[in-house]
Amino acid sequence: PLGNFVLVRTKDSLDATDGGILLPDQSKERPTEGEVVAAGPGKLHPHTGVRIVNPVSTGDSVLFGKFDGHDMEYNNEPVTMIRDDDVLLHYKGVRMTMENVSPCRDYVLVELTKQKAETSSGIVVAESVMKEYEPCEGKVIKVGEGRMTSKGEFSDSPVSVGDRVKFKDYAGNSVKIEGVECSLVRMVDILCALKP
């Protein structure tokens, strides 16, 4: 691949039932997992000419948006060509764990706060009503390196691990890691840090 393109072999996604039976994930619209087959050197900043290095390399496992990239065939095998900006997180190893995942660049991994099914006045809200609601707050679990500046340096994250944050509605990318519901959110989509 040239520039900031990444060639990825998609992994089959499996979900586990409560009894531990693994089922292929066919219906949920969520990010796609894959293994990096090859990666370009990175892109040049349009104004300064500084090379913005590709954050992943051959052999890394990545998570990227379901509709990102261009499907193609390479060595008689289906693969997807994505940009480095499409990578949400990367990790080494066979499976994602809280220890081995790293949010890519300006992404933050947030453990979602379960929404209460009861209002402050004591009215219980039916689960069927809450089913479509996307949580938009939680606790920061991991923070990416930061946004790349025109000088090729990373800007600092506005939040730290352990902070409780609120982010824009529907701004996060849902991911389940070791049974924990999380969301990958860009730093610019985080609205505020909440007091405990």
Side-chain angles (χ1 to χ4, degrees), residues 6 34 43 160 178:
V6 180
K43 64 183 172 189
S160 303
E178 297 180 311

Side-chain angles (χ1 to χ4, degrees), residues 2 30 49 62 65 67 76 93 114 116 130-131 146 153 158 181:
L2 302 176
R30 59 184 208 181
V62 296
F67 301 108
N76 297 322
K114 270 212 174 237
K116 295 179 189 172
M130 298 297 286
K131 185 172 70 173
E153 301 164 355
E181 291 289 341

Side-chain angles (χ1 to χ4, degrees), residues 105-162:
R105 294 204 174 126
D106 63 334
Y107 277 98
V108 174
L109 183 64
V110 177
E111 182 180 340
L112 298 174
T113 303
K114 270 212 174 237
Q115 297 302 311
K116 295 179 189 172
E118 187 177 320
T119 65
S120 57
S121 60
I123 299 172
V124 177
V125 180
E127 264 190 50
S128 60
V129 174
M130 298 297 286
K131 185 172 70 173
E132 297 298 318
Y133 178 75
E134 289 283 330
C136 57
E137 64 180 71
K139 184 174 86 172
V140 175
I141 302 296
K142 292 216 172 178
V143 177
E145 309 157 302
R147 193 161 185 86
M148 184 70 77
T149 67
S150 60
K151 295 179 183 176
E153 301 164 355
F154 291 107
S155 60
D156 291 333
S157 170
V159 295
S160 303
V161 172

Side-chain angles (χ1 to χ4, degrees), residues 67-85:
F67 301 108
D68 290 337
H70 176 74
D71 293 331
M72 51 195 293
E73 195 171 296
Y74 175 71
N75 288 340
N76 297 322
E77 179 177 28
V79 292
T80 304
M81 184 73 77
I82 61 173
R83 292 185 181 275
D84 62 353
D85 295 332

